[in-house]
Amino acid sequence: MYSKEMYELGAHSSVIREIFEYAKKRSAVVGKENIYDFSIGNPNIPAPDIVDETIKKLIDTMPSADLHGYTSAVGDNGTRQAIADYLNKTHGTSFRKENFYMTAGAAASLTITLHALAEEGDEVILIAPFFPEYKVFAEGAGMKVKIVLSDPDTLLPDYDAIEKAINEHTKAIIVNSPNNPSGVVLSEEEIKKLAALLEKKEKENGKPIYLIADEPYRELVYGGAKAPYITKYYRDTVVCYSFSKCLSLPGERIGYILVPDEAENSKEVFTAVCGAGRMLGFVCAPSMYQFVVRDCIGKTADLSIYEKNRDLLVSTVECLGFSCAKPDGAFYLFMKSPEPDAAAFCEMAKKYELLFVPSDSFGFPGYVRIAYCVSHDMIERSIPAFEKLAKEYF
Ligand code: PLP
């Protein structure tokens, strides 16, 4: 009749979406200004002016059939060259346009990459807490998922646990820094540790273990933190990038996959990426936005607002007795639930119209994710609600 597996995915939307829907319904009852919705990672700051200016310029100067027509499946050459030039200038790398495959955002980059790599019996390692869709994407590509918990004190990867999880079936590990949901940014030291471990395991296994670097939050780092460019530390890295967050364009669906020349079987992996994109029916990434990112490369929305939000939220919750790892990047605060059941804590928070996401779906129970890609004003107005919530526990 129909696929039960797909039915299940469609019938049970993500917890995050459920809370987002609840927020809409509740707003209709008590008024939007009285709901403090910290549930969804939808950038609230506008795209920079240069995006709209570029769109106007493109409309005025490009023939419509070029602007809105198909590009080649790998993407527009000028766009791929502009991205390669930008990365080379910024990180001292030596990428060529041929290393890039344009996609409809990070979700497409990940599904295509996983399909391109997966062979029967392959496993992929996810480091919890992780973006819940990874499991859907990896299982959809036919891979078995192995979840490895981060160190509970630091929320950094637990390298011993990763080492134990790797076996002869391990094809890839997904690394997301800056991290959704913890906000943790992996330092150069951490990346070196991970790279050394993976290199050792590759030698033992006699085959590559690909590090899939999921990087939609690359530019969102605060307080001097740096997100090192992972291809410089580990050869077998495939980068899945998106412009959704840095340019505040999540609905426009634009990103890329980067397969560096140094990666084992680079040419074959790139060709498999093309094949996976074809099989999944992507055809080409949205044309107009390929030209937009070509002309706006290196520009970002005003990301300083997130840092301001982070500082206010962290100081508020810490003063009230809650604990959290101070996030160095992305726009999420991962706060320890004061009771073991994070879902029960979220229910309690709802009493004060505070909407958080319990961490169970991120594979790491006992925490809540607070998305601070909201207006600063909303955070200021929510402080009395945080105070009331704290009184329930401390
Ligand atoms: N990866 C992570 C860690 C994310 O948080 C998201 C979206 O929130 C994505 C991938 C998907 O991003 P995109 O909108 O570019 O598909």
Side-chain angles (χ1 to χ4, degrees), residues 95-205:
F95 302 128
R96 303 173 299 120
K97 69 176 184 311
E98 288 76 10
N99 300 118
F100 294 86
Y101 180 94
M102 299 306 297
T103 65
S109 301
L110 288 162
T111 46
I112 293 171
T113 301
L114 289 162
H115 274 84
L117 293 176
E119 293 175 283
E120 191 153 356
D122 276 352
E123 296 183 358
V124 59
I125 293 179
L126 305 184
I127 305 172
F130 56 81
F131 178 53
E133 296 303 275
Y134 289 165
K135 206 162 168 292
V136 178
F137 298 161
E139 288 172 352
M143 287 173 131
K144 184 175 161 201
V145 165
K146 272 225 174 137
I147 296 173
V148 177
L149 297 183
S150 290
D151 181 318
D153 295 326
T154 59
L155 295 174
L156 290 169
D158 176 342
Y159 300 101
D160 290 339
I162 294 175
E163 177 155 17
K164 286 197 189 98
I166 295 176
N167 61 30
E168 70 276 21
H169 302 295
T170 308
K171 176 58 68 72
I173 178 168
I174 302 184
V175 174
N176 172 222
S177 169
N179 185 270
N180 173 11
S182 71
V184 164
V185 179
L186 295 184
S187 65
E188 183 175 37
E189 194 190 337
E190 296 300 321
I191 289 169
K192 281 184 174 165
K193 276 193 232 170
L194 182 60
L197 168 62
L198 294 177
E199 274 164 19
K200 179 178 129 191
K201 286 294 177 185
E202 282 194 327
K203 278 205 190 97
E204 279 174 28
N205 283 0

Side-chain angles (χ1 to χ4, degrees), residues 308-341:
K308 211 169 135 212
N309 285 355
R310 173 195 77 151
D311 292 347
L312 176 59
L313 252 185
V314 171
S315 62
T316 300
V317 300
E318 282 184 346
C319 271
L320 292 171
F322 295 105
S323 70
C324 60
K326 193 175 180 196
D328 285 327
F331 39 51
Y332 306 102
L333 185 69
F334 207 51
M335 188 171 86
K336 207 163 173 41
S337 165
E339 56 178 309
D341 182 353

Side-chain angles (χ1 to χ4, degrees), residues 41 104-108 110 131 134 137 176 178-180 214 216-217 241-245 250 253-254 332 369:
L110 288 162
F131 178 53
Y134 289 165
F137 298 161
N176 172 222
N179 185 270
N180 173 11
D214 178 29
Y217 301 97
Y241 183 82
S242 164
F243 295 91
S244 291
K245 315 285 174 174
R253 318 304 305 136
I254 187 76
Y332 306 102
R369 187 189 79 172

Side-chain angles (χ1 to χ4, degrees), residues 248-322:
S248 272
L249 292 174
E252 306 296 359
R253 318 304 305 136
I254 187 76
Y256 59 79
I257 297 167
L258 160 62
V259 186
D261 287 333
E262 306 80 62
E264 178 112 4
N265 301 325
S266 171
K267 281 210 177 73
E268 291 77 7
V269 170
F270 191 87
T271 306
V273 160
C274 298
R278 178 182 173 198
M279 189 274 285
L280 292 164
F282 281 113
V283 184
C284 67
S287 304
M288 184 163 77
Y289 278 89
Q290 291 193 52
F291 303 123
V292 169
V293 301
R294 177 195 65 192
D295 294 351
C296 298
I297 193 76
K299 303 288 191 304
T300 67
D302 179 6
L303 306 174
S304 66
I305 293 162
Y306 296 138
E307 184 160 6
K308 211 169 135 212
N309 285 355
R310 173 195 77 151
D311 292 347
L312 176 59
L313 252 185
V314 171
S315 62
T316 300
V317 300
E318 282 184 346
C319 271
L320 292 171
F322 295 105

